[in-house]
Amino acid sequence: MKKTGLLVSIFIAGTLLSCQTSDPDTPAAESKYQEEGYVLASISQTSASNTFYAGYFPTLPSGNVDLTAKSSYSSFYPSATWKNYLFGQPLVSDKKLSKMAVVKATGAIEEVASIPLVDYISRVLIINDQLGVYSTGGNRALFMFNPATMENLGQIDMSSAQNFPDHETNIYPHLTYRASDNRLFASLYTNSSKTGQFYDAQNVYVEVINMSTKKWEKTAVFEQATYAVSRGAENSLVDENGNIYVITQGQYGLDGQLGPNAAKRSRPQILKIPAGSTDFDKTYSFNPVSAVGLPNLMFQLVLGGVYDANGIAYACISGQQDPPRLLELIAKLATNTITATEYQELSNLAFYGANQRWARLDLNAKTATIIQDIPLTAGYGYPITYKYDGKIYMPVYNAEQKLNGIYSYDPLTSKATQINSLTAGGLITHFYKLTK
């Protein structure tokens, strides 16, 4: 009996100790990763290679910033953030989806976990704490995963979606989620290496996936619009009512369509999928460049884009008349007298010259207004737009004015201020705010 009583006592003591170790008031182990702050990243490009820099800042990075004093990487191009984690391409080029974070001890970014892939990652979108979606370079490849555990949750069957079997590329580089009806919208990018165009179709195709059933539903088609992916298109444009806006870039003149008489499909348009609908509003087409008063430009660009509130969005658009040298080179291109050196000059002037301006877009009234406090920028650099704490953050690069930094715009005052200047490290590519 004494032995039995002793065993019971040991059992009770063990139970008490077990309860104590699982006490909810016991502090959790401190994370090795930063849970708040900012990450600023850049790319330094040469003819031989690219070097990526990324640095952690506990507060808003302001003043002169030298990113070469931070860590460098062979690749750094996150596609989505969730709390204090970054998701996208790995730090070393590889076929996997990488989950990354900032190490407290060093300030460097490291891979926390990853999912091996057959193809390179294309786009990542986080829906909630347990569900994310990513696309890859595989034909119409769309997958689900858990961003907390990095468990792969399976592939969505897209075999009935729009496909161009003669094109090497049919992928989904832009994803939009609408919470009101739990649907995912995946924009198709299709391309053939046999042409000089980046997009080889004359219509825009957006695939609709029901995330309640995890199944493809339909293809939404807007005729005579092209290239539903623009440089810097990291954000989904969904308003408070559930209206979805899709920025289409057009063909950059690569299809031979230039100037005011170019086909409508060859020029930028913002399209609309109304709230409660899974089809395009065929009557809605908004060209911000024309709306701002520049309908006759040879090249029209609409880059980046972020939604704010009450029908207002912000994007980087062509913002001045075509420079004379650009028009001269276009004329040579039209008469097939342009040299290889001149063609490279033409590309640099069209895409990397400081010809763009950040603009306020009224998506309901279909009007565009230049933000006067922000100067001309080479928008085709990396025009990724961010919204944090009620303010809009926009990168500006203007070599002539020696500008290379981020501007903060306050919608309440309609005023913009330059918050930092990148003194070394190349062009700014990303700016993230980390949260718990």
Side-chain angles (χ1 to χ4, degrees):
M1 293 296 293
K2 288 182 179 181
K3 290 183 179 179
T4 302
L6 179 60
L7 290 174
V8 170
S9 298
I10 293 173
F11 174 79
I12 293 173
T15 303
L16 290 172
L17 288 173
S18 175
C19 291
Q20 289 173 356
T21 57
S22 61
D23 190 332
D25 294 330
T26 301
E30 184 178 353
S31 173
K32 67 177 286 191
Y33 301 113
Q34 295 287 359
E35 295 181 322
E36 294 181 304
Y38 298 86
V39 172
L40 184 63
S42 66
I43 181 174
S44 180
Q45 298 172 297
T46 68
S47 58
S49 63
N50 297 328
T51 301
F52 296 81
Y53 298 96
Y56 169 76
F57 299 83
T59 59
L60 191 70
S62 60
N64 291 332
V65 176
D66 178 1
L67 278 182
T68 63
K70 303 290 185 176
S71 299
S72 63
Y73 305 92
S74 61
S75 177
F76 186 79
Y77 210 90
S79 180
T81 59
W82 172 71
K83 298 182 178 180
N84 61 321
Y85 296 101
L86 311 175
F87 296 83
Q89 298 176 10
L91 298 173
V92 177
S93 183
D94 198 0
K95 295 177 181 179
K96 59 182 178 179
L97 168 60
S98 178
K99 178 179 181 179
M100 297 162 283
V102 179
V103 180
K104 284 182 180 179
T106 63
I109 295 166
E110 74 172 20
E111 184 175 275
V112 178
S114 65
I115 296 175
L117 307 176
V118 175
D119 301 287
Y120 288 101
I121 195 74
S122 177
R123 180 63 59 198
V124 184
L125 184 146
I126 309 298
I127 293 176
N128 56 47
D129 288 357
Q130 289 81 41
L131 181 62
V133 180
Y134 65 91
S135 61
T136 72
N139 186 280
R140 297 172 297 168
L142 200 56
F143 302 85
M144 298 172 291
F145 76 108
N146 185 314
T149 64
M150 289 298 282
E151 177 188 2
N152 203 334
L153 302 178
Q155 185 170 2
I156 297 173
D157 182 2
M158 301 296 289
S159 58
S160 297
Q162 177 67 39
N163 185 42
F164 292 87
D166 293 335
H167 298 175
E168 295 91 340
T169 304
N170 291 279
I171 64 174
Y172 306 117
H174 189 70
L175 304 173
T176 297
Y177 174 70
R178 185 167 64 190
S180 58
D181 59 358
N182 198 25
R183 278 174 171 76
L184 179 74
F185 298 79
S187 298
L188 175 69
Y189 167 66
T190 183
N191 184 57
S192 169
S193 61
K194 297 177 182 179
T195 73
Q197 300 173 182
F198 293 136
Y199 182 86
D200 285 285
Q202 294 191 357
N203 304 319
V204 160
Y205 304 90
V206 173
E207 305 300 339
V208 183
I209 298 96
N210 187 325
M211 294 308 295
S212 296
T213 62
K214 308 296 189 298
K215 293 182 178 181
W216 173 89
E217 280 190 342
K218 63 186 296 185
T219 303
V221 182
F222 193 99
E223 298 179 349
Q224 295 302 296
T226 58
Y227 211 171
V229 181
S230 68
R231 192 70 172 261
E234 306 292 305
N235 303 300
S236 301
L237 303 182
V238 185
D239 70 14
E240 301 87 341
N241 299 315
N243 296 302
I244 294 173
Y245 296 91
V246 179
I247 296 177
T248 68
Q249 178 50 62
Q251 292 285 10
Y252 304 111
L254 295 173
D255 58 350
Q257 298 283 327
L258 282 169
N261 297 321
K264 186 178 181 180
R265 67 176 181 272
S266 299
R267 300 166 79 80
Q269 300 175 65
I270 299 179
L271 312 177
K272 178 181 179 180
I273 298 176
S277 173
T278 53
D279 281 315
F280 283 104
D281 177 350
K282 302 301 174 60
T283 67
Y284 186 98
S285 174
F286 170 33
N287 183 336
V289 181
S290 295
V292 85
L294 296 168
N296 297 322
L297 289 184
M298 285 295 185
F299 284 96
Q300 291 192 358
L301 301 176
V302 176
L303 309 165
V306 67
Y307 183 77
D308 183 21
N310 302 315
I312 304 301
Y314 298 88
C316 189
I317 69 174
S318 298
Q320 70 170 0
Q321 295 296 334
D322 295 312
R325 178 58 174 167
L326 178 65
L327 295 176
E328 179 184 347
L329 292 171
I330 289 173
K332 288 191 173 187
L333 179 65
T335 57
N336 201 29
T337 59
I338 195 169
T339 67
T341 301
E342 287 174 331
Y343 185 81
Q344 185 60 49
E345 182 186 357
L346 170 62
S347 298
N348 289 335
L349 283 173
F351 300 128
Y352 294 98
N355 303 316
Q356 285 78 52
R357 297 290 297 271
W358 286 100
R360 178 184 184 272
L361 312 182
D362 188 325
L363 298 172
N364 294 322
K366 292 193 280 189
T367 59
T369 306
I370 296 296
I371 300 174
Q372 297 299 330
D373 291 340
I374 304 181
L376 284 160
T377 180
Y380 207 76
Y382 290 87
I384 301 175
T385 332
Y386 302 92
K387 179 184 176 182
Y388 301 130
D389 304 319
K391 293 184 179 180
I392 312 298
Y393 293 90
M394 312 167 187
V396 170
Y397 177 74
N398 187 317
E400 291 184 0
Q401 297 186 26
K402 297 181 179 179
L403 293 173
N404 185 16
I406 293 179
Y407 278 70
S408 170
Y409 177 80
D410 188 342
L412 296 179
T413 63
S414 300
K415 296 294 182 181
T417 306
Q418 185 175 6
I419 63 170
N420 60 39
S421 178
L422 193 63
T423 59
L427 294 175
I428 292 174
T429 58
H430 297 88
F431 176 51
Y432 294 117
K433 182 178 180 181
L434 309 179
T435 59
K436 290 184 180 181

